[in-house]
Amino acid sequence: MLLIEAHETDSEGGIAITASQTASIHLHAQHPAILALSQADPKLGRLIELIGDITLTPSFRPYESLVLSIISQQLSAKAALTIKNRVKALIPEISPEHVLASDEEAIRQCGVSYPKIRYIRDLSAKVLSGDVALDQLEALDSAELLKQLTAVKGIGVWTAEMFLIFTLGRPDVLSIGDAGLQRAARWLHALPERTDRNYLAVAAEAAGWAPYRSYASLYLWRAIDTGLVDTGLPVEACAPPVREA
């Protein structure tokens, strides 16, 4: 079983969201979403069978998750982890108030670039002003939340979509700008080359992935991670990937 967590955190800070948003989402063969996806798209159903169960564990610290996402941009996983740990040591309670009160040079000494510090401070100000309503997440649909998030300097559409999927656990987000998902969707449905390169939207619409497009995406990412996409074989001819010990 694959376990996906939004972020590992040690602080107790951040704006709380409700328990319904924080509960782990265990995707298995009898889950209603998986049954619906498998029935709508037999090729995706075969991929799900090959991959097996996935558990998604959303974060209950959305502000902290956004801060750490900004810090991680364009960095290797190892470098990002080192810098995030330094920031969490400097600011044990990562909240808008504490971030704005922190010395900019001290944050810079953690390894955070000046542009990213400006982005984090802009996020903090917008959260405190209510322009980014992290205290009203359940009341906001994904389109409105994407609009609010992408108004923050340094948060693009892809970062906002990943926040919706991995931090909030929203079930129906389709990240058209994700190159990996585009490649996996083309492989799954053996789609001919397109000038717009938008294989993902074509597959999702034709196969009827809504309202569970996030979950379909999780399996497409796993198809890349496990090497299934690189086999070049039709999904029906693929053997189950070797499970991690």
Side-chain angles (χ1 to χ4, degrees), residues 6-78:
H7 288 291
E8 293 182 2
T9 57
D10 296 321
S11 77
E12 296 301 324
I15 296 175
I17 56 179
T18 65
S20 63
Q21 290 172 299
T22 64
S24 293
I25 302 165
H26 179 46
L27 301 175
H28 53 84
Q30 297 307 310
H31 189 287
I34 297 306
L35 290 172
L37 286 170
S38 298
Q39 182 175 10
D41 185 352
K43 289 182 180 293
L44 180 59
R46 172 58 180 162
L47 176 61
I48 290 170
E49 180 184 350
L50 290 170
I51 297 298
D53 297 359
I54 291 178
T55 296
L56 175 65
T57 303
S59 168
F60 57 93
R61 301 183 183 101
Y63 169 78
E64 181 174 335
S65 294
L66 286 168
V67 169
L68 298 181
S69 292
I70 292 171
I71 290 172
S72 299
Q73 289 174 357
Q74 299 178 320
L75 295 175
S76 68
K78 182 178 180 180

Side-chain angles (χ1 to χ4, degrees), residues 148-230:
Q148 291 186 15
L149 290 172
T150 53
V152 176
K153 296 174 183 177
I155 297 182
V157 173
W158 184 86
T159 297
E161 289 168 340
M162 296 306 104
F163 174 78
L164 292 178
I165 296 172
F166 292 103
T167 298
L168 302 187
R170 296 269 174 113
D172 194 34
V173 178
L174 192 69
S175 185
I176 297 299
D178 190 288
L181 290 179
Q182 292 287 357
R183 184 163 70 94
R186 183 182 184 186
W187 162 77
L188 182 66
H189 282 280
L191 296 173
E193 186 170 358
R194 297 176 56 88
T195 56
D196 62 5
R197 312 294 293 175
N198 195 358
Y199 308 101
L200 183 62
V202 170
E205 182 174 354
W209 294 349
Y212 303 116
R213 293 177 295 176
S214 299
Y215 301 159
S217 298
L218 295 179
Y219 282 94
L220 291 178
W221 276 313
R222 284 300 290 163
I224 295 172
D225 293 343
T226 57
L228 291 175
V229 173
D230 293 329

